[in-house]
Amino acid sequence: MNGAKPYHAAFRATVLVLVFLLCAGRGNAQVNTFYFNSGPIPQCDTSIFTANVAGIGTLQPYGTQWGYSLTELGINITTDHPQTLQIILTSPAGTDLVLSEFNGAGGQNYTNTVFGQWWNPNITTGAAPFTGTWAPQGGNLDVFDWELGDGTWTITVIDTACANGGTGPNGTWTPGWFDGNGQNGGFNITFFVPMCPGGIPWGTSTICAGGSVDIMAYYQWSGYTITVMDPRFVPVADPSAVTLPGQYNITAYEPWDGCSYFAWYDVIVE
């Protein structure tokens, strides 16, 4: 028995380290997507597409542990002359952000094009068809931080293709189409909740031979869903009447934040 104790102690220490690593990165994100309306993009004209947003409140900086933050915006535009387009996002407060303008010569379309945070390559470095995630041409999405997210958001698409009456050098260009309900149309606002702010204590009980201890009663105050496993990580059939000695593994699940907490409960038999 004495030779087994260091192994069990090391095993428990390893499990504890893993638990801390998992909990340190825990956090839940609720993604809300608001779609823009769709419509044509006539040449030599300005087209406006809108999305109505509600229930967001003030936009927080990306990664804030409580609040909504604008994380990405996706668009789909069918066009055979992307190099003549100017695409601008405007917040309900009137702040403009140039997403892309005069890019994509020699190619076609913005296909599932996502504008994300500053660490993505700028859209100006890409080539049409624009696919994947890019940083907006005119700056970062954090330009909208601390603004009210609720209201009408606008994407303005200006097609400056006026050569030959708006039909292109050889008379072959056709009007584009903005798909606000495509695969990535609209934009995501992500809601972050606190990083597992709760916890449960360790416990110890000393009982006489033939006696029992109610481990569930020790944690009933928490309101969490409690799971009790024996020292070999086998679920205990009746944790309200534990009779065998050992260090029991406790898992507490918190349904409000989706977090799990861990502790041990020692049962000593004299």
Side-chain angles (χ1 to χ4, degrees):
M1 291 294 293
N2 290 338
K5 288 182 178 179
Y7 168 77
H8 289 300
F11 179 72
R12 290 194 296 268
T14 300
V15 171
L16 184 59
V17 169
L18 289 175
V19 165
F20 279 134
L21 288 175
L22 289 171
C23 283
R26 285 295 302 277
N28 297 318
Q30 174 183 328
V31 178
N32 297 305
T33 300
F34 301 89
Y35 294 107
F36 290 83
N37 63 302
S38 304
I41 307 172
Q43 286 115 317
C44 203
D45 202 353
T46 297
S47 303
I48 296 176
F49 307 94
T50 60
N52 295 317
V53 174
I56 297 302
T58 301
L59 292 171
Q60 307 294 321
Y62 179 77
T64 299
Q65 293 307 305
W66 193 274
Y68 288 86
S69 59
L70 180 56
T71 59
E72 61 183 26
L73 179 148
I75 65 172
N76 286 274
I77 293 178
T78 301
T79 177
D80 57 8
H81 50 284
Q83 69 272 17
T84 71
L85 301 185
Q86 294 175 282
I87 308 169
I88 303 163
L89 174 67
T90 305
S91 70
T95 301
D96 292 331
L97 175 62
V98 174
L99 300 176
S100 180
E101 58 181 5
F102 310 130
N103 298 309
Q108 297 184 2
N109 304 332
Y110 287 82
T111 304
N112 298 332
T113 307
V114 177
F115 294 96
Q117 296 296 323
W118 57 267
W119 53 79
N120 296 298
N122 196 281
I123 190 71
T124 59
T125 65
F130 294 103
T131 302
T133 303
W134 309 89
Q137 183 168 341
N140 191 30
L141 294 176
D142 62 7
V143 69
F144 302 114
D145 288 352
W146 307 117
E147 291 188 4
L148 185 65
D150 300 324
T152 300
W153 289 76
T154 301
I155 287 183
T156 301
V157 182
I158 305 171
D159 190 345
T160 62
C162 296
N164 297 326
T167 57
N170 300 312
T172 58
W173 285 349
T174 58
W177 181 267
F178 181 91
D179 182 6
N181 290 288
Q183 180 176 344
N184 284 323
F187 58 90
N188 296 331
I189 295 179
T190 303
F191 181 49
F192 290 89
V193 300
M195 292 287 188
C196 299
I200 55 172
W202 290 22
T204 301
S205 288
T206 300
I207 59 176
C208 297
S212 66
V213 58
D214 186 351
I215 295 180
M216 296 298 289
Y218 184 77
Y219 293 104
Q220 67 182 1
W221 55 269
S222 67
Y224 302 155
T225 300
I226 302 297
T227 300
V228 180
M229 293 183 287
D230 68 17
R232 295 181 178 273
F233 290 91
V234 175
V236 176
D238 185 6
S240 64
V242 175
T243 59
L244 298 177
Q247 188 169 66
Y248 290 81
N249 305 281
I250 313 299
T251 300
Y253 174 72
E254 180 184 354
W256 312 286
D257 291 338
C259 295
S260 294
Y261 308 105
F262 303 89
W264 284 284
Y265 195 100
D266 290 309
V267 176
I268 302 170
V269 177
E270 293 184 339

